[in-house]
Amino acid sequence: MGAESASILDEETTPLLGTGLKIIQARRGYRYAVDTLLVAHAADPKPGERILDLGAGTGALTLLVAAKAPACRIVGLEIQEAMADRARRAVRLNGCEGRIEIVTGDLRRPAASLPRGAFDLVVSAPPYWPAGSGLLSPVPEAAMARHEILCTLEEVVAAAAYALAPRGRFWMIHRAARLTDLTAALDAHGLHLTQLRPVHSRAEAPAAFLLARATRGGRPRLTLLPPLVLYSGPGRTFSPALQAIHAAFGRLPREGSA
């Protein structure tokens, strides 16, 4: 059996929430999680905009934003060829070839893959953990997606600053503990933090993540949004807020519908 056939046998096609879309994921490897959903829900695409997903992985965030913005064109940039290939096949599977392009490229060298200042909205769920910290997955593609092995937080911000048009917006999620690093990186690359929403696993727990929006240009005024609590009740029961986010994607029109 060839390597390509073996790789396909190690994959599965799964529904992407209630959008009517599907993605292709490795059975053992990087798989999208709730952080992807939160960035897609927070993002604010407008009709006709050009959108960039930095670190597109297998295309989950790209496709979720596409479900919200049927009149937009979207580019997903991914450095790992195996994941970029799954994303391309998912784009074809969902009939989105006309408005989604998956590009294999390195965000640390954006000029090799992307036009400068061409995007109105950039989204990203980048690696959270600095190299050498946290629990490293034994699966290389998952390790590279969650740890700063192939890119750092500052390099993600620099790529967003390169790609954004004037007044463009950058939505991302990151660990709350990295807020100082995030603000320093944004300042260093001429982006203003304009919205910040803390994300808590439970109401009584400290914030675990931050949903952040930065802009290129404009007035540097920050709005601190109400906290988002993910779980309530026993176990990992979805909170009403997280249930509403899932329901919002379930109500989106499917590709090709009104």
Side-chain angles (χ1 to χ4, degrees), residues 44 91 95 145 149 155 170 182 224 252:
D44 52 355
V91 168
I149 297 170
E155 288 166 338
F170 175 37
L182 174 59
L224 186 60
L252 290 172

Side-chain angles (χ1 to χ4, degrees), residues 130-149:
S133 66
L135 181 62
L136 188 68
S137 171
V139 181
E141 75 171 39
M144 289 184 283
R146 291 302 184 192
H147 282 73
E148 293 182 340
I149 297 170

Side-chain angles (χ1 to χ4, degrees), residues 34-143:
V34 70
D35 51 356
T36 302
L37 169 64
L38 299 182
V39 179
H41 184 261
D44 52 355
K46 299 176 175 60
E49 288 193 322
R50 288 274 297 173
I51 302 170
L52 171 65
D53 179 4
L54 284 173
T58 54
L61 178 54
T62 310
L63 286 162
L64 286 172
V65 174
K68 287 183 70 173
C72 292
R73 295 184 63 82
I74 306 175
V75 173
L77 183 70
E78 172 55 44
I79 191 171
Q80 297 192 63
E81 178 54 45
M83 290 207 289
D85 177 66
R86 291 186 204 116
R88 289 190 194 96
R89 285 186 278 130
V91 168
R92 292 194 297 270
L93 177 66
N94 291 292
C96 297
E97 302 98 312
R99 61 194 189 90
I100 298 178
E101 178 186 8
I102 302 297
V103 175
T104 303
D106 188 341
L107 63 78
R108 294 170 296 184
R109 291 180 282 277
S113 306
L114 303 169
R116 181 187 292 273
F119 297 91
D120 306 291
L121 174 65
V122 175
V123 297
S124 186
Y128 295 142
W129 298 95
S133 66
L135 181 62
L136 188 68
S137 171
V139 181
E141 75 171 39

